[in-house]
Amino acid sequence: MAENDTRCGFVALIGAPNAGKSTLLNALVGSKVTIVSRKVQTTRALIRGIAVDGQSQLIFVDTPGIFAPRRRLDRAMVATAWSGAHDADLVGVLIDARKGLDEEADAILDKLAEVRAPKILILNKIDMVDKPTLLGMTKTANAKVAFEASFMISALKGDDVADLKGWLAARVPPGPWLYPADQMSDAPLRQLAAEITREKLFERLHQELPYQATVETDVWKELRKGDIRIEQTIYVERDSQRKIVLGKGGQAIKAIGEAARKEIATIVEAKVHLFLFVKVREGWGDDPERYRAMGLEFPKE
Ligand SMILES: Nc1nc2c(ncn2[C@@H]2O[C@H](COP(=O)(O)OP(=O)(O)OP(=O)(O)O)[C@@H](O)[C@H]2O)c(=O)[nH]1
Ligand SMILES: [Mg+2]
């Protein structure tokens, strides 16, 4: 393939929390590179997933959901999401079609005027909504923002995801690929492994642990037989939360560790020995070190 025939570009996916950005990124890449949950505010930092379509390499940037931030961590996440949009060649704006153009979506559309990159509208979750409603939404959104194109997809079922990908492949600028053809993510495996444990934590404890936990990989060691030993710390803010994570007789942590271990093993294609530790770190949401570990800027206030 002649190098001057290739295309390559960054496509940021932005939208309200829970719109389906991470689900779409995984569908576009064809592999799990970012975690998904039923809860809002799952994604915390910019996560890149890389896909190839014909002669084009597409670098998708998953961003945290955009909402009205209150706490420091919220502010860091929302600032990061917008920075992802400002740095991209193209910006895909996801709207949860089931929720429609509510206040949250409107606030995002209003702020898009400040984003210079070409924007496209992506109505997601069309498996839950009828066609006339979708067309109405598309019209209203296009009256507000000059979108280059509009798509209606289901990231979960895969409907029209290939169309979207093909369109983007033709639209990104000509240029050499930035990553090897088979690379799907630029995140180190130890970071993805920490995210997977956080996903399992969310899945298991979604009622009791409203987002006050973070996970870090402390040790990643390849053993002689090719097995991998991973040690991770789950930081919570209070002792009561530590008890929840441990569960009665250690049941919860055991199940979380087992689910995470299995999934990490599939990804690294090796036997994994996963050791989880739970530490109380009061106010970790105000600790710059934790932000660095997540790949976020620490907001001054
Ligand atoms: N029915 C339906 N559900 C979807 C679709 N896409 C995503 N979801 C669900 O929506 C929920 C949120 O998905 P995520 O991909 O985590 O959403 P997100 O926009 O990354 O959320 P944050 O990271 O919190 O901003 C999950 O339960 C997904 O399974 C879709 O096309 N149809
Ligand atoms: Mg997400």
Side-chain angles (χ1 to χ4, degrees):
M1 169 169 43
E3 189 163 287
N4 51 12
D5 289 339
T6 60
R7 292 176 174 270
C8 184
F10 287 83
V11 182
L13 302 174
I14 67 165
N18 218 41
K21 302 173 294 293
S22 300
T23 306
L24 176 59
L25 181 116
N26 289 333
L28 288 161
V29 172
S31 174
K32 177 155 170 178
V33 293
T34 182
I35 64 168
V36 167
S37 88
R38 277 173 295 156
K39 291 193 52 121
V40 296
Q41 292 149 41
T42 303
T43 307
R44 285 184 178 158
L46 299 182
I47 297 184
R48 287 178 190 166
I50 306 155
V52 165
D53 191 281
Q55 308 267 79
S56 303
Q57 185 167 62
L58 300 167
I59 303 148
F60 294 102
V61 185
D62 188 16
T63 66
I66 295 169
F67 57 106
R70 282 181 301 123
R71 286 163 306 172
R72 196 195 295 260
L73 178 59
D74 299 343
R75 283 193 290 280
M77 285 163 47
V78 172
T80 299
W82 282 113
S83 78
H86 288 291
D87 294 340
D89 295 303
L90 288 165
V91 176
V93 183
L94 259 84
I95 304 275
D96 182 337
R98 195 174 33 174
K99 283 200 192 148
L101 297 171
D102 58 6
E103 212 177 301
E104 208 171 31
D106 261 344
I108 294 170
L109 293 182
D110 286 340
K111 277 202 82 175
L112 283 174
E114 294 161 30
V115 174
R116 271 229 239 115
K119 295 164 272 279
I120 59 167
L121 176 70
I122 305 172
L123 288 185
N124 186 32
K125 310 197 187 182
I126 62 164
D127 51 297
M128 314 282 287
V129 183
D130 61 47
K131 198 78 192 239
T133 310
L134 294 170
L135 292 172
M137 261 181 237
T138 305
K139 213 169 151 196
T140 311
N142 273 280
K144 274 201 146 187
V145 179
F147 288 111
E148 261 196 31
S150 302
F151 293 87
M152 298 177 192
I153 65 155
S154 170
L156 189 67
K157 313 248 168 189
D159 298 344
D160 286 329
V161 171
D163 274 3
L164 169 64
K165 194 168 158 183
W167 188 90
L168 293 168
R171 182 63 183 78
V172 287
W177 291 5
L178 295 176
Y179 294 94
D182 58 354
Q183 191 166 336
M184 290 189 294
S185 165
D186 72 339
L189 281 172
R190 49 190 298 152
Q191 186 188 326
L192 179 60
E195 286 287 275
I196 286 171
T197 302
R198 193 160 65 84
E199 181 185 72
K200 303 311 168 203
L201 205 62
F202 270 33
E203 268 170 16
R204 168 101 194 182
L205 305 170
H206 55 102
Q207 302 299 347
E208 300 105 308
L209 202 75
Y211 141 112
Q212 281 131 356
T214 191
V215 181
E216 293 176 20
T217 300
D218 307 312
V219 174
W220 182 290
K221 202 166 145 201
E222 224 171 283
L223 307 175
R224 240 181 306 153
K225 286 177 294 178
D227 294 8
I228 296 168
R229 179 189 171 96
I230 303 170
E231 293 174 25
Q232 295 179 330
T233 304
I234 300 168
Y235 290 100
V236 293
E237 293 210 299
R238 275 183 284 285
D239 198 52
S240 58
Q241 294 166 351
R242 192 180 68 92
K243 291 200 178 102
I244 291 169
V245 173
L246 293 174
K248 217 171 162 195
Q251 285 295 318
I253 188 95
K254 203 170 155 208
I256 290 162
E258 184 52 20
R261 186 193 60 73
K262 269 198 196 138
E263 196 167 314
I264 297 166
T266 314
I267 291 172
V268 300
E269 295 174 340
K271 189 163 179 204
V272 166
H273 307 268
L274 176 64
F275 299 87
L276 297 179
F277 304 92
V278 190
K279 275 192 198 150
V280 179
R281 181 147 305 174
E282 251 175 73
W284 71 255
D286 293 314
D287 176 358
E289 194 53 45
R290 306 278 78 77
Y291 283 64
R292 256 193 298 282
M294 282 184 257
L296 284 174
E297 291 266 345
F298 183 69
K300 297 237 162 51
E301 47 196 307

